[in-house]
């Protein structure tokens, strides 16, 4: 009898272990220095370690990634595709988080650099940097991508003749209520605002169709405050951030602060800013700087305004994308030119970061996405 009970207990423990959730990190890369495509790691929260479990072959620079709200699918832009661009769909294996390719579609523009998914899981929004085109693709029930349902080609330029000679669409960020999408055009210093029509796979200009930043700033990525009332825009070309009030009803953005510097006053080298995120509590804002090679740390006041409080070197060169985990315990930084991802602990009270000493090597890491699989 004792042996039977022991066997039952063992089976229960094994079953519980098998069903325990895993945290999986997906890494998008550029196809250089031997990169094989998309790298998949298991993240151990208790130690901060990353263990590689898969590589998904893609030689077209699967740089930026997005996870479907169901957790069943993932999408990558193929930045190195031909002039028609490309986006790939993958199925996420339950229990393991490994990826299986599903299909590909054109993004209708050169150099697709960003993809995002609406909260219904029915639409993918793709930003084509090289072509200056914003494209909407339907997502089918099986996770595959349909042919583009809308493609918007922009006009305009900015004062920086080397970087703003024409439109350069860099990101599309969904509002918390899924009613609006904010499209950043680095080339014209504008953030376009659209209302979303999920049923028809279309967008239309909002009543306030765009917001502008300081000429020559180059808006790149956006972070929306957890309360939905404030929006923060990376100004890539001036290494600064712009803060906006957001009208939840109309989607309109009203400038709150412009061109807040994110570099030390005595820094005189070349730098471009890249990514931006708030912590889960909305108390702090972080922005990556390539050249100075650090994350700028800013406090967020109750009125939404930000103040620079410090810098955290990323342990490598060209920190393009970084990730703040949903529990607010860790920050992972992808150093594109030194082929490494570094891991930091986040102090939720001070906003400061501490290097854990943990790091993994990945050729040219560009984008990091973390999710839990069961």
């Amino acid at each position: 009898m004792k042996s039977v009970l022991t066997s039952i207990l063992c089976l229960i423990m094994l079953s519980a272990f098998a069903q325990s959730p895993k945290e999986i990190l997906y890494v998008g890369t550029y196809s250089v220095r031997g990169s094989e495509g998309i790298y998949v790691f298991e993240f151990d929260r208790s130690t901060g370690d990353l263990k590689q479990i898969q590589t998904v072959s893609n030689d077209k620079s699967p740089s930026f990634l997005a996870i479907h709200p169901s957790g069943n699918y993932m999408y990558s832009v193929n930045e190195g595709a031909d002039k028609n661009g490309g986006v790939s769909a993958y199925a996420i294996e339950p229990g393991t988080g490994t990826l299986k390719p599903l299909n590909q579609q054109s993004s209708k523009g050169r150099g697709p650099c960003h993809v995002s998914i609406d909260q219904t899981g029915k639409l993918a929004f793709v930003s084509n940097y090289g072509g200056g085109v914003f494209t909407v693709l339907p997502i089918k029930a099986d996770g595959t991508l349909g042919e583009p349902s809308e493609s918007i080609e922009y006009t305009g330029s900015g004062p920086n003749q080397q970087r703003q000679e024409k439109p350069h669409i860099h990101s599309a960020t969904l509002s918390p209520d899924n009613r609006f999408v904010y499209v950043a055009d680095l080339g014209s210093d504008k953030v376009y605002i659209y209302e979303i029509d999920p049923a028809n796979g279309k967008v239309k200009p909002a009543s306030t169709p765009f917001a502008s930043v300081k000429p020559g700033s180059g808006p790149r990525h956006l972070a929306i405050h957890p309360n939905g009332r404030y929006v923060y825009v990376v100004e890539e070309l001036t290494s600064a951030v712009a803060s906006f009030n957001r009208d939840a009803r109309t989607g309109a953005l009203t400038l709150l602060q412009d061109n807040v510097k994110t570099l030390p006053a005595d820094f005189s080298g070349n730098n471009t800013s890249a990514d931006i995120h708030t912590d889960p509590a909305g108390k702090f804002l972080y922005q990556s700087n390539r050249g100075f090679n650090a994350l700028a740390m800013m406090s967020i006041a109750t009125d939404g305004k930000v103040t620079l409080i410090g810098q955290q070197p990323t342990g490598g060169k060209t920190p393009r994308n970084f990730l703040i985990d949903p529990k607010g315990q860790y920050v992972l930084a992808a150093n594109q030119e030194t082929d490494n991802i570094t891991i930091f602990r986040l102090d939720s009270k001070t906003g400061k970061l501490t290097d854990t000493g943990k790091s993994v090597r990945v050729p040219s890491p560009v984008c990091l996405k973390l999710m839990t699989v069961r």
Side-chain angles (χ1 to χ4, degrees), residues 127-341:
S127 302
N128 295 283
Y129 179 88
V133 174
F134 171 57
T135 301
V136 183
L137 296 94
I139 298 174
K140 299 178 182 180
D142 63 358
T144 59
L145 292 162
E147 294 185 359
S149 55
E150 184 152 39
S151 187
I152 301 171
E153 186 170 356
Y154 294 82
T155 59
S157 60
N160 186 320
Q161 295 182 5
Q162 285 72 43
R163 295 293 308 281
Q164 295 183 308
E165 80 289 359
K166 63 178 183 178
H168 291 297
I169 307 304
H170 221 307
S171 66
T173 304
L174 280 299
S175 67
D177 60 7
N178 207 54
R179 293 179 55 219
F180 302 97
V181 60
Y182 298 91
V183 179
D185 179 7
L186 183 144
S188 68
D189 295 312
K190 290 180 179 178
V191 176
Y192 293 96
I193 308 168
Y194 295 99
E195 292 185 35
I196 304 170
D197 180 0
N200 296 307
K202 301 286 186 179
V203 296
K204 68 175 183 179
S207 55
T208 301
F210 65 86
S212 297
V213 296
K214 183 178 179 180
S217 296
R220 177 187 172 99
H221 282 195
L222 280 70
I224 299 180
H225 192 278
N227 67 18
R229 293 165 50 195
Y230 309 113
V231 172
Y232 303 99
V233 181
V234 169
E235 298 177 310
E236 176 179 335
L237 304 181
T238 54
S239 304
V241 60
S243 305
F244 291 86
N245 284 308
R246 192 183 82 90
D247 187 320
R249 183 179 61 85
T250 66
L253 301 180
T254 304
L255 192 63
L256 183 62
Q257 289 174 292
D258 194 16
N259 220 235
V260 177
K261 301 301 182 184
T262 65
L263 294 171
D266 60 353
F267 178 74
S268 59
N270 294 321
N271 187 83
T272 55
S273 293
D275 201 15
I276 189 166
H277 299 283
T278 73
D279 72 316
K283 294 170 58 180
F284 302 101
L285 182 71
Y286 303 85
Q287 182 165 313
S288 59
N289 281 309
R290 304 170 294 181
F292 185 60
N293 298 323
L295 299 181
M297 301 176 286
M298 292 164 272
S299 62
I300 303 175
T302 54
D303 63 358
K305 293 182 178 180
V306 298
T307 302
L308 185 65
I309 59 173
Q311 309 284 344
Q312 174 60 55
T314 59
K317 293 183 179 180
T318 316
R320 187 182 181 94
N321 183 234
F322 66 99
L323 177 153
I324 300 177
D325 93 85
K327 295 183 179 180
Q329 297 176 338
Y330 289 97
V331 173
L332 285 69
N335 295 299
Q336 179 186 335
E337 293 302 322
T338 47
D339 301 338
N340 65 312
I341 299 169

Side-chain angles (χ1 to χ4, degrees), residues 1-12:
M1 184 68 177
K2 185 178 178 180
S3 61
V4 173
L5 289 174
T6 301
S7 298
I8 292 172
L9 286 172
C10 288
L11 287 171
I12 292 173

Side-chain angles (χ1 to χ4, degrees), residues 50-118:
L50 289 167
K51 177 185 177 182
Q52 186 175 334
I53 59 174
Q54 186 191 23
T55 304
V56 181
S57 180
N58 184 329
D59 63 358
K60 301 299 182 183
S61 291
S63 58
F64 207 89
L65 312 174
I67 296 172
H68 192 275
S70 69
N72 295 328
Y73 311 106
M74 196 186 73
Y75 303 88
S76 75
V77 292
N78 300 322
E79 200 163 339
D82 63 19
K83 63 181 180 180
N84 292 316
V87 191
S88 292
Y90 305 86
I92 298 175
E93 182 69 24
T96 67
T98 55
L99 302 177
K100 178 182 178 181
L102 292 177
N103 79 325
Q104 299 182 47
Q105 286 288 354
S106 167
S107 63
K108 297 295 184 182
R110 289 184 297 105
C113 65
H114 186 276
V115 58
S116 54
I117 311 299
D118 88 307

